[in-house]
Structures are given as C-alpha cells and as structure tokens.
C-alpha cells in the first residue's frame, strides 16, 4: 500500500514491506550469529529437563472438581479450562450428528516470539520447553506461551519471563498480531494470540532460551516432534519473501535443478499467480459458511450418549477418537512445580496432508473447507486430508475421507515432506500428527465443492485474519516454509 | 494481484480490478437508462403499499409461545428467531455488567442485489418493500432479503422472487459475497450474507422492482428513511474506484472547488494514503480482542433482574434502552398475508456519527472499537459515536460517550451529513438512527486506545471479511459513498 503524506504511516508501511525480505535473510542463515551450537544446546536442554507425569483418576485431580449435576470437569478457581459435553449437528455431512467431550478455554493466551537483529540478520528467541503431554521431553517453543491465568497470577506461580515485551507494545514494533483457532475437534472456539515483536535492546538470555535464525528453526521442523505446536502456528504467520529465496536457490542450483523448490519459492512471492484470486477464495468461504448450518449445543459431560465414564478416563463407546484422562505432574523447573489436570489423549496417530501441485509454475496446496465442533465461524481451511487413518483402516474405500488413499498410497518420490509433529503438550497427551506433503500432477478435477487450490502467498493474506486457516493447515504451512530453503 | 498462467483466474482478476471503475460509472449516472422515473415509481409504490400493524399482548402472538420455564419467546416451528435473555460482562468498561433480552436468529439470511449493465452502465435491481416496523410504508430494499426459513418454505408462503440467482452462482459472476453482523445490542451473533451477483440475461422486472443506477440510490440515501438497512449494508460492500469519481468531480469543478468532496473521492482510491496501514489496524484490533474479556451467558428471559414483564411489553426498569413488544400484521401483498411476531422497539432516536478529517489530503473517519452483547468476536469497528442521546441528556459531560458533545455541538457548516435512516423493519419497530458526519480539524490527540482514523479504501479492505465493521458504521460508509458524487 502506498502511504503518502503521513510520515509515521510511511515509515510503518516501509517496515512492513521490508519485513519479508529481512526474514528471508534469516531463513537463508543456517547458523545463528550468537550463542551456542543449536544441536548441542538442544541436547543439553533435553538432558536437563525434569518433569514427571503419572496417570491419576479423574475424580482425584487436586485443584479440580467434577460438577455433581453435569459431570463437567472444572478447575476450583473457575479459570484455566473446563471439560464439558457438546452436541453437534451438521446437516448434509457424512456424519451429521454426534456428541463429544470438548475443552472450554475462553481465555486468549499469548504465543509470542521476540525478534532481534544480530549482524543484520533477524533472530528468534526460542525456548526449550517440556510439557506433560510431550512424547519426548523438551520441544522448541515460542519465547512466551502463557494463558491469561498464567500471567495474571491465578496459579500463584513465578512470573512469565519476557511477557512484558508483548503487552503494551508500540504498534510499529509488532510484526505479527493475530488471534488464531486451535484444534476445532478438541477445543470449543479456543483462540490464542499469535504475536511477534521486534526489539532493539540487549536482553538477558535466560536459562532455557536461545536466539535462532529462521533457517535453524526450519531445520528443526524437519525432525520429528522437535518444534512444538505453539511455535509452528506462529511460524506460519511469519511471511518471508520468495524473491530472496528464489535468488538464493538459483545461486546454489536449486532454482534450476529442483523444480519443486523453485515452484515453492515462487509461491511465497506476494505477486505470484494463483488458480483463484483471493477475492474468489473469500467469496467461496462465505458461500459455504452460509450454506452449512453447523449447530452446537452444550450438554452435560455425564450425559453424552456415545461416551462411557471409567474411573481413569472418559472414552467413546467404540474406543475410537480420544479419551479424557487425568495426570499429576511434578516439574521442579516450572513456574508451578506440582499440579494435576485433565488431558485429551487421542487414539491413534493423526494425519495432516496437503496434496500440492504446480499451476503456472507456482506451487499450490489443496485446502479443504472443514466444519468442526469447535469452529467459531462454521468452517476453516484445513489440510487436504485431516483424520486418524486407523479409524478407517477396515472400511471400504468409499467410506474413507477423500484423498486419504492418494496420500497413503503416494509413490515415495512424490512425497515432499513426511515428518511427525506433536500437538500441544499442555492439553493433549502424546498427541502426534503425521505431516505429509505429496506432489500430484493434473490438478483438473481435484477440486470439489469443498476443496480449492491455494498458493502460499494467499495463505499469507488469509493468516492476517482470524477464522480462515486451521491449526493443522498452519502447521503444514510452517513445514512447507521450511522446505523452501532447507 | 497479478495472476499469471491461469486463463480463468486472469479473467476473474481482470473483472475484479475493473469492477470499481464500472460501478463508478453507475454512481455518476443520475438517471437509470431503463424503466420509469425513480421518484414517480417510488411514490406509486408508496401509495400502493398495503400493510396494517397492530400491537397485541406478547402471550397472544399467533404461532408463537412463551416457554413456561424460562419466559423465552419462540416460534412454534422452532425456526425464524427467538427472544431470550443474556448476561454480559466486560471488565474495565464504564458499564461492565448488565443483562438484557436479545434476539437469537442463527439462520444466515440472504441480502442480495442483482446487477445488470444497460448501455454500459451497471444497474441495481431494487425493490420497494414495506415492513411492519417501518415508520413510513415502503423503503428501497435489496432484490432479495430472505431468511433461510423464508426460502426453505417453513412459513409456507409464496416463493421468493429472484432468489435462485443467489444460489449456486458461478463464482466469476459474484461481485460481493460476505457475511456481516447486524445490531450487536439487539441480535446475538446474527449474520446475514451480503451478496451482489451480476447477470447478463434479460430478466422480467416484477411488480415492485426497478433497475436503479448507483447514482440514483445515492440520491435516495440523502432522504430520511428511504433506503432500508438491508440495502445500506450491501451498498457499503460495493466499492467504486475513486479515480473516476475524482476525475468527474474535477470536471464539474468539485475536485477543486469542494475540498471535502475531493478528499472523500481520494479516500475511495485503493492506493490512497492512510494514517495507519491496514496491517496496523488489524494488529490493533487483535490486541483489543485479546485484552477485552467479553463474556456472555444465556439467561431465562423471565429472570432478568433489570427487566419488567408487562402484558404488552418487556421493558427495562428505568424505561430506557428498548421494549420487546408484540405485533399482528396484515399484508396482502407479502408471501404470507397474516402473521404475528415479537419486535424490538427502541426508546428514543439513535445516533450514529463519524468525525472525519483530512490527513494528507485523504478523508479519514474516526472509528471506535466497540464491544456489544451480540458481537461474535469481542469488538467491531463502530462509528465514532453510537448511542441514544436521550439516555445521557441529564448526565454530566464526563458520563456521556466520548465525542457525543463534539457531534451534537458541531457548527452547522461543519456538518457534512445529517439524515435519519431506519433500522430493519422486520425485527425493529420504528427504530430510527440519526446519521451524522462532522468534519473536524487537527486530528492530533483525537485517537484513544479505542479510536483510530481509517480511510474509506481501508473500509473496502475490511469489508471483504466478516467481524470487522459493524452495521452502524457500514450504514455511514454507504451514506459517505453517496456524498462523493451527489
């Protein structure tokens, strides 16, 4: 946007225009200009992590109570979160009616990353953090991840380091500030603030923190369960310009030798082509949101017809989907050293997969407009396939989600990404999702009334707003960014 | 956006880019190229209107029932809408806690305008429609305004004319398709689909319909209660390019002679300057939505501590705000000839006012990020002042809404717009809002943490998405568009 006549606005606009190119420098820098070696630092942090988790009965969670009338699980303070029941109706959908437990967490938390330039290269202050639900101790996390209860002191713990940098910030230092949804199948309309703030001053690097280049973070994204969900959603909101990337790839032979990476780099360029204009995508989403009559109604957790209550868990009568379980945590290094809480434990490894293709030389991903119980606005754009494949293993092909077989049966040389990432370890126990990107030819006919091809620069446009791109798709976008320069 | 390599996308992008200039031609055309004289047509339609309304007790509404347990009012079919109670908490706000009746209408209705070119000038198919709540018989309405219950036949009435043109439309014929909120103080998270579709073929112009140029509609917007709310919200979503407008104004002396109109025309140009970048505005909104902890909880209508139940109405204990009343309607020309329903009857004339100023030669309006009971996403951008002034008449200045006195006390030569518009006559009884635009100097210091200067082309960006601009601000935007070329 051309901004004239208002010096401050002109300066802000110039900063906004320059940001993607500056971040591209960071993405192309494979080693931080300050601090210890990344691998050694991460290994040290993993060794030092000290957190013990044991399963406890749901009615024995210290600080929590079961409502005698509804069976709902809530914290004694009334804060943090609660597990309640919900009944969902989506007419004209394959499964059009169901009930389930769901987490209510109305507080908007902060997922914040601090950025600072060293030697002209932006660095991200990341944290090695352990969470009770993680399959492996520590994962790379944002500078700050805190619920309002955390930072308003409800839990009476130590204060959250670096939090003040994300409160009352001058607008021109903010690179990203947008509230995004989290898992719509497990959270009822949960939103967190994804925020990136730039600082100029020297900051103490506390124990457990390190400055990373975007290039280093991207390398970590290629490893299983190394970068946590809270970091991935913020990384998806950090656009870096394709031009610098494309030039660098051309310089090292990537632009010519590797058609996929060149198409991916072009897809990041704001002016690159697309199969549909962004206006068309918005109108398509509006039309679906008008047509799909998603209705939800609160239900007592104890009264869900499809769910069974056991002392140690609440489970679906088929054993599928997920369990609600209780854990007691001992974490001497955390703000609070002891606590108990309910968690969601999914049954089986999830799958989040994009089919991608080149259209006019620009890489596009096939998104699915998906309605979930917790969606605040009917549908969000999800991966081409998002499901737990084990639930469908014994079903005939026609009962399986569209494109599931195309993903599972892809020839190895067409698989551009295959990595397992963890869902948020503060609410989900051992929840992992296989992230897969498969390149396909011949996009004609791939679109359905609910599927559209979207270029990466269009994700950048959409991710400036809430309600458009779901957490699984954002996680895949972050991983795709990682592929561009790896 | 440059779209390359995909012929269909290129064509769609070209249409999108051309649309504002084509609409500018329509805005500059003061007389339709087809059909009868607008004034005569409107006078004839007003004379022909046949609708009788009488007040009836709330427990005597045919087809409706009062829930014996909650006192909630609902239609016997379970469709249309219901009047329930709500409790609202907004910490740190002047009034931080209250309860009230509110309309629940989860169905997304269609507010649709058909567009067709005659002699190279786009025309809008408008309807002269009477509604039970209108203060004066007919008002100019969109081609279609229908709830889902209307068009799925729940009310067993005649079919809605022209509706089929808005269902299953090829994407490239759609100029606008976005769901917007309605009055957040009276509706709980209501949304309607604002949609504009272009047609090429001859259409029969049914009794009660006429093709209007945008210029004709703009002239109607200058008259009290002539263009209904459903039309105004759609008109606000129809961007027309400032360049053609500015050139035309320069041609007739407006560009030089009238600084206000020139600044307004420049403000419509997509590339014109602004005090803040749109990115900054989005980040500002995110920050407020994170900070403001708006909570709502359903309450039985019969149990609202501040409201009194009378046979003919539910009223606030102070007599202020609004009443819930019942009406019986006889309308021989409508799809259904007889019906009864509850309505909201506001106490006093509303005010929706923008302070505007020129920044770098570009007109800006001062928006207010306002939390209302029915907001789906905490706050939306509202007029600088939005209130019922009578409620504050006897209060000291410090207790009155910010800028109310600046609007009410403005010197007449600084008042750029002053017209009374009606709220939706299908739900609101004799609800009128004074629309005022006052130009001020010296914007420094006018902004507060909740107020920002916004250029008109930024409203265009924001109005492509739900949840940003409330109905009162959209109505003022439509009126401002009318001022540009009147």
């Amino acid at each position: 946007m051309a901004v004239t006549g208002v010096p401050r606005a002109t300066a802000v606009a110039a900063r906004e225009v320059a940001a993607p190119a500056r971040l591209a420098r960071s993405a192309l820098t494979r080693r931080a200009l300050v601090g210890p070696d990344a691998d050694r630092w991460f290994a040290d942090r993993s060794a030092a992590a000290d957190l013990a988790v044991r399963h406890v009965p749901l009615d024995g969670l210290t600080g929590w109570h079961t409502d005698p009338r509804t069976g709902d699980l809530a914290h004694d303070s009334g804060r943090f979160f609660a597990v309640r029941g919900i009944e969902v109706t989506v007419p004209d959908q394959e499964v059009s009616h169901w009930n389930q437990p769901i987490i209510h967490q109305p507080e908007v938390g902060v997922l914040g990353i601090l950025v600072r330039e060293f030697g002209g290269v932006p660095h991200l202050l990341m944290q090695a953090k352990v969470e009770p639900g993680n399959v492996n101790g520590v994962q790379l996390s944002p500078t700050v991840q805190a619920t309002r209860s955390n930072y308003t002191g409800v839990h009476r713990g130590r204060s959250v380091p670096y939090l003040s940098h994300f409160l009352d910030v001058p607008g021109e230092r903010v690179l990203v500030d947008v509230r995004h949804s989290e898992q719509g199948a497990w959270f009822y309309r949960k939103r967190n603030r994804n925020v990136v703030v730039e600082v100029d001053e020297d900051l103490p690097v506390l124990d457990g923190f390190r400055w990373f280049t975007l290039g280093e973070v991207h390398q970590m994204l290629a490893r299983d369960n190394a970068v946590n969900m809270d970091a991935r959603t913020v990384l998806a909101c950090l656009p870096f310009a394709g031009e610098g990337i494309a030039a660098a790839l051309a310089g090292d032979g990537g632009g010519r030798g590797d058609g996929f990476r060149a198409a991916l780099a072009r897809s990041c360029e704001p002016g690159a082509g697309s199969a549909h204009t962004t206006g068309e995508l918005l109108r398509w989403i509006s039309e679906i949101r008008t047509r799909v009559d998603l209705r939800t109604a609160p239900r007592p957790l104890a009264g869900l017809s499809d769910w069974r209550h056991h002392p140690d868990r609440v489970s679906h009568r088929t054993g599928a989907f997920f369990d609600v379980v209780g854990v007691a945590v001992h974490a001497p290094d955390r703000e609070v050293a002891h606590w108990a809480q309910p968690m969601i434990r999914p049954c089986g490894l999830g799958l989040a997969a994009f089919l991608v293709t080149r259209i006019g030389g620009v890489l596009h991903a096939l998104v699915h407009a998906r309605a979930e119980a917790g969606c605040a606005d009917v549908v969000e754009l999800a991966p081409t396939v998002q499901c737990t494949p084990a639930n469908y293993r014994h079903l005939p092909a026609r009962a399986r989600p569209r494109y599931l077989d195309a993903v599972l049966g892809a020839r190895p040389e067409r698989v551009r990404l295959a990595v397992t990432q963890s869902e948020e370890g503060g609410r989900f126990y051992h929840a992992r999702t296989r992230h897969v990107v498969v390149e396909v030819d011949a996009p004609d006919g791939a679109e359905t009334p609910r599927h559209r091809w979207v270029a990466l620069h269009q994700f950048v446009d959409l991710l400036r707003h809430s309600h458009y791109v779901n957490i699984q798709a954002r996680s895949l976008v972050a991983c795709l960014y990682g592929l561009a320069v790896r």
Side-chain angles (χ1 to χ4, degrees), chain A:
Chain A
M1 176 192 310
V3 176
T4 57
V6 185
R8 202 196 64 84
T10 308
V12 171
R15 282 182 65 88
E16 286 178 358
V17 170
R22 294 170 55 224
L23 290 165
R25 279 206 301 277
S26 185
L28 291 165
T29 304
R30 284 152 205 249
R31 169 81 182 83
L33 304 185
V34 291
D37 174 74
D39 285 337
R40 182 133 114 220
W41 173 84
F42 196 69
D44 286 351
R45 299 312 311 169
S46 301
D50 192 2
L51 182 137
V53 178
R54 63 190 167 83
H55 286 279
V56 293
L58 285 166
D59 62 3
L61 296 173
T62 308
W64 293 75
H65 61 275
T66 301
D67 184 295
R69 201 171 47 83
T70 62
D72 294 354
L73 289 161
H75 193 255
D76 294 345
S77 69
R79 302 288 295 269
F80 295 105
F81 65 95
V83 183
R84 300 184 186 144
I86 194 171
E87 187 171 341
V88 187
T89 310
V90 197
D92 310 320
Q93 190 168 282
E94 195 139 321
V95 179
S96 62
H97 185 247
W98 72 93
N99 57 59
Q100 64 166 88
I102 199 160
I103 299 177
H104 284 251
Q105 185 168 343
E107 297 181 358
V108 178
V110 172
L111 308 179
I113 295 182
L114 284 182
V115 168
R116 203 202 151 182
E117 281 202 357
F118 295 96
V121 176
H123 286 59
L124 287 62
L125 188 60
M126 305 297 287
Q127 183 183 179
K129 189 159 188 183
V130 61
E131 292 281 5
N134 288 1
V135 287
N136 53 346
V138 303
Q139 298 183 0
L140 203 63
S141 310
T143 317
V144 165
Q145 73 191 47
T147 63
R148 194 191 294 259
S149 294
N150 280 147
Y151 65 78
T152 55
V154 171
H155 70 359
R156 295 185 294 250
R158 299 170 217 156
S159 68
V160 178
Y162 304 110
L163 179 66
S164 62
H165 293 278
F166 299 97
L167 309 175
D168 296 319
V169 197
E172 60 271 25
R173 308 302 298 169
V174 181
L175 294 175
V176 170
D177 193 347
V178 56
R179 289 147 65 257
H180 280 306
S181 62
E182 300 200 348
Q183 287 79 355
W186 299 334
F187 277 123
Y188 185 70
R189 300 188 176 181
K190 161 102 180 278
R191 258 155 301 179
N192 269 335
R193 179 181 177 210
N194 291 237
V195 55
V196 178
V197 170
E198 191 149 22
V199 292
D200 287 329
E201 73 268 29
D202 274 334
L203 289 181
V205 177
L206 300 178
D207 197 35
F209 292 81
R210 179 183 178 273
W211 290 107
F212 278 74
T213 66
L214 208 44
E216 285 178 316
V217 175
H218 286 161
Q219 292 166 61
M220 299 275 290
L221 275 170
R223 300 186 204 167
D224 287 354
N225 308 305
V227 181
N228 85 354
M229 188 202 85
D230 301 288
R232 297 196 307 275
T233 172
V234 182
L235 291 168
C237 301
L238 262 188
F240 53 87
E243 277 182 65
I245 303 291
L249 288 174
D252 73 2
R256 289 181 301 271
D258 181 347
F260 170 78
R261 280 168 70 195
L264 175 54
R266 268 195 295 276
S267 192
C268 297
E269 292 176 34
S274 53
H276 305 281
T277 69
T278 301
E280 274 187 289
L281 295 177
L282 296 178
R283 295 191 292 270
W284 168 66
I285 295 168
S286 282
E287 195 277 326
I288 293 174
R289 285 178 169 166
T290 303
R291 186 158 37 82
V292 176
D293 195 18
L294 173 73
R295 305 274 181 115
T296 59
R299 293 287 176 260
L301 185 61
L304 298 177
S305 55
D306 292 333
W307 295 75
R308 306 285 174 262
H309 290 252
H310 310 276
D312 63 331
R313 69 187 195 281
V314 179
S315 301
H316 194 258
R317 57 179 170 72
T318 65
F321 305 112
F322 62 85
D323 302 330
V324 180
V325 299
V327 298
V329 188
H330 176 59
D333 300 336
R334 292 279 291 248
E335 301 102 62
V336 174
H338 293 272
W339 76 91
Q341 65 171 89
M343 299 194 86
I344 296 264
R345 179 177 64 190
C347 307
L349 179 67
L351 173 69
F354 268 149
L355 295 188
V356 299
T357 199
R358 297 173 216 174
I359 303 175
V362 175
L363 198 76
H364 285 64
L366 190 64
V367 298
H368 176 221
R370 180 181 172 94
E372 294 186 297
C375 276
D377 206 357
V378 189
V379 295
E380 295 194 6
L381 302 185
T384 320
V385 180
Q386 173 187 323
C387 70
T388 301
N391 291 344
Y392 300 94
R393 195 170 291 152
H394 305 296
L395 296 180
R398 63 185 157 67
R400 291 207 285 271
R402 186 117 184 186
Y403 296 118
L404 174 58
D405 293 334
V407 170
L408 298 182
R411 296 200 312 275
E413 70 272 20
R414 303 294 271 168
V415 177
R416 302 299 181 185
L417 176 85
V419 61
T420 299
Q421 303 286 8
S422 289
E423 305 304 326
E424 219 272 304
R427 296 290 171 273
F428 309 124
Y429 186 82
H430 290 195
R432 291 167 308 135
T433 302
R434 191 76 180 151
H435 285 48
V436 178
V437 173
V438 173
E439 191 171 18
V440 295
D441 298 324
D444 279 3
E447 295 194 339
T448 75
R450 291 288 194 97
H451 289 87
R452 286 290 180 276
W453 292 109
V454 175
L456 279 172
H457 63 85
Q458 297 185 299
F459 282 105
V460 174
D461 289 344
L462 296 172
L463 284 168
R464 299 168 81 200
H465 309 277
S466 306
H467 306 299
Y468 285 129
V469 184
N470 83 353
I471 179 79
Q472 291 85 355
R474 295 200 305 278
S475 185
L476 278 171
V477 166
C479 293
L480 275 171
Y481 282 163
L483 283 183
V485 293
R486 192 169 296 149

